DNA sequence: ATGCCAAACAGGGTTTGA
């Protein structure tokens, strides 16, 4: 089973790219972020025609997540628990049955958190704490779990082209990196880092200042695997060539293959 | 250091993003 995360930066603007990519891919589950669409306007028919089941959790204008899958999920849940005041559409989870048991896939769009001297940064850290608490509860089920998404976290200095440029940024703050490490400390495995410790494994390049041409990227889209999922990890990779397409998202797909 | 780029909403300029 191949599970992919991809921040598409607008489903309406990216539909042609997504359909082209879906026609070529062997992915089984695709977690999308920043669909920037309400559920009613999501182009589900075009995607269903290609053989995918579609589940969305959108809102007007920004944020929004979706899970596309070859098979229908047994269960879908929307929204990250822990704050009834939080109306951002940033989290959904789906449970799939396979021949060798269930797998739970969470699709997350973790808050950016910039600038750090505004309420956006504490919102990010609080969201990460809520994710941590949610995960503790799910881990008790001892299921294979994959948390796939745009984490807006640069885990380590070699996950960016120039670490000095990210000092003071919410994506690279010590508190941010620590919260990510705390998820790993619960027993989660970063799928990309489980297969390679190479530098330059980026998933995002800014639209500005020729970042793509200079390979001035960062690795912020991740797949964290519970122990039961990590034991089934076969491979993981980043589909970076998509960034060179016409009218691309600023993020590219990252994937993990599990032996289900 | 940041809005140089991009998308949404709306129908111009603001908000958001990383």
């Amino acid at each position: 089973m191949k599970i992919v995360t991809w921040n598409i930066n607008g489903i309406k603007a990216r539909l042609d790219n997504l359909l082209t990519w879906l026609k070529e891919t062997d992915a089984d589950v695709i977690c999308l972020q920043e669909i920037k669409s309400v559920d009613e306007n999501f182009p589900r028919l075009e995607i269903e025609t290609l053989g995918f089941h579609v589940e969305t959790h959108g809102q007007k204008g920004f944020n929004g997540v979706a899970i596309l899958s070859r098979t229908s999920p047994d269960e879908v849940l929307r929204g990250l628990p822990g704050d009834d005041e939080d109306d951002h559409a940033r989290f959904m989870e789906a449970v799939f049955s396979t021949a060798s048991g269930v797998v739970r896939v969470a699709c997350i769009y973790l808050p950016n958190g910039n600038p750090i001297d505004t309420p956006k940064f504490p919102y990010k850290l609080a969201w990460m704490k809520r994710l941590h608490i949610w995960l503790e509860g799910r881990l008790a089920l001892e299921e294979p779990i994959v948390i796939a998404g745009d984490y807006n976290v640069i885990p380590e200095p070699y996950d960016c082209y120039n670490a000095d440029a990210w000092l003071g940024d919410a994506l690279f703050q010590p508190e941010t990196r620590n919260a990510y490490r705390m998820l790993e400390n619960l027993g989660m495995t970063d799928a990309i880092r489980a297969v390679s410790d190479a530098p330059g494994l980026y998933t995002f390049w800014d639209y500005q200042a020729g970042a793509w041409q200079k390979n001035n990227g960062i690795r912020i889209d991740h797949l964290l695997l519970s122990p039961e999922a990590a034991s089934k990890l076969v491979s993981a990779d980043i589909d970076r060539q998509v960034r060179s397409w016409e009218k691309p998202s600023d993020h590219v797909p990252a994937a993990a293959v599990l032996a289900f």
Side-chain angles (χ1 to χ4, degrees), chain A residues 115 151 185 187 210 227 235 244:
Chain A
Y151 283 68
N185 290 347
S235 64
S244 68

Side-chain angles (χ1 to χ4, degrees), chain A residues 223-235:
Chain A
L223 300 107
L224 285 184
L225 314 178
S226 74
E228 293 81 3
S231 67
K232 294 179 181 292
L233 179 64
V234 174
S235 64

